Amino acid sequence: MIDFKQLAQKYKTPLYIYDLDHMTAQYTELKDAFKARKSILCYAVKANSNLSVVRHFAKMGSGADCVSIGEVRRAFLAGIPSYKIIFSGVGKNDDEIREAIEKDILYINVESEAELGRVELIAKDLDKKTRISIRVNPNIDPKTHPYISTGLHDNKFGVDLSTAKRMYIFANNSEHLDPVGIHFHIGSQLTELKPIYESAEIVADLVRSLQTIKIELKFFDVGGGLGIKYDDETLIPTYEYAQAILATLKGLDLTVICEPGRFLTANAGYFISKVLYEKQNGEKNFLVIDGAMNDLLRPALYSAYHKIEAVTDSTSSLKKVDIVGPVCESGDFFAKDYLLPNLAHNDLVVVHSAGAYGFGMGSNYNTRGRSAEVALESGEDRLIRKRETFDDLIALEKEFLN
Ligand SMILES: *Cc1c(COP(=O)(O)O)cnc(C)c1O
């Protein structure tokens, strides 16, 4: 049991709390599921990019999947070795590509023909041969929220099969490109196995067809996307997930790369916030708390559901409230018509499943400093990011004030 009250007293609110032991358990479960093959779990840093969180995964032997050079730098700082770092993303700029090549990471996941051309040019300029993988868009509907669906031709990600093949041939003929991997990532918060299996089959078939023209890949990168329980979702058992993927690889000697983000960190995280006031507008009850959409954007962005728990001595019956923050936007809510008891000033609310796409999507909107972050490990708590102060917020502007 986490003592939220004590943590709120010690670190103030709003506050992010991460249970690192839960992350360990999730990592171990997924890694074990793939044990029939060589595999590397490359933690998707964007899910929760706090350096101490990334270091925690580094210590377990995790690699990193990065979507900006900033994330690549975080991965290095956290102690992830270069040969386990992947650089993905649909729009890498020249400086980012150059730095990734110079740092000699495992591979760059290339997302278009134009990008492959840039990577080749920059590698040539640096007089290097750089490892690449190509992100294939298998045109499979992952059956998730449209904002987190990425594996359809309607989405901006990856290339279709025939383009991919052309790109592999181009790369294989280049002195500066070494095609070592193939990648797909069809979406996030996936709760159905079939689309994953079908995508893996399509991509594995492409690997076989490349073999017939003497292009031998080494890494089969299945992306991330494994769903977690926010509410009452039925999840894909990790063992079945791994087995379905491995079943598509019969006769192929490939190392599996998996890029979980949400699965590893979401349910390790709690966002805690204090009750400021209750108020009524006509029939509607509002609970105004000190956390806001600038701290946790998912409800506003995707209408995402988060379980919310009240920490209170109140024994009143439950009533429906909209749980909202102080930001000047109607979208600034954590939940609507949520059943909670009557709460008093300074009671706590705990937002669950906040360890992925929580802090990282935060902003300083309304000149609000970002929350502190605290790690829990083996019964101990420790600060892993300070609360932002007003001075932090204006630091880059102050000198221009005249
Ligand atoms: C975001 C992302 C992931 C992680 O997704 P989750 O749903 O958090 O597991 C993995 N790979 C790529 C390329 C991504 O963009």
Side-chain angles (χ1 to χ4, degrees), residues 202-231:
I202 290 170
V203 177
D205 282 344
L206 178 57
V207 174
R208 290 189 184 89
S209 106
L210 292 171
Q211 272 186 334
T212 65
I213 52 170
K214 297 275 177 300
I215 299 176
E216 295 280 349
L217 303 180
K218 299 188 183 78
F219 300 101
F220 190 77
D221 183 342
V222 302
L226 255 187
I228 59 115
K229 238 184 183 31
Y230 285 99
D231 189 8

Side-chain angles (χ1 to χ4, degrees), residues 42-47 65-67 88-89 109 111 135 150 157 183-185 187-190 221 223-227 258-264 356-357:
C42 288
Y43 168 55
V45 172
K46 73 173 186 284
D65 175 54
C66 305
V67 291
S88 310
N109 260 328
E111 299 225 12
R135 178 164 178 175
T150 55
F157 300 97
H183 175 228
F184 66 95
H185 171 75
S188 198
Q189 183 54 10
L190 306 176
D221 183 342
L226 255 187
C258 183
E259 307 168 342
R262 189 188 312 270
F263 178 81
L264 297 181
Y357 307 106

